Amino acid sequence: MKEIADILRHRSLDTSAIYAKVDLSNLAAVALP
């Protein structure tokens, strides 16, 4: 997460965590045949 925060120039990892949330239902639709 630290590297992502650095790239996005966020001061707080909490801010970067917003971008790291995963929509599990959409991910399952893509991952499962």
Side-chain angles (χ1 to χ4, degrees):
M1 276 308 290
K2 174 80 171 84
E3 292 82 9
I4 295 169
D6 290 345
I7 291 169
L8 297 175
R9 298 180 186 255
H10 292 155
R11 293 182 185 163
S12 170
L13 290 178
D14 291 336
T15 304
S16 301
I18 294 169
Y19 294 92
K21 290 185 181 178
V22 175
D23 184 339
L24 293 178
S25 62
N26 282 331
L27 180 60
V30 172
L32 298 175

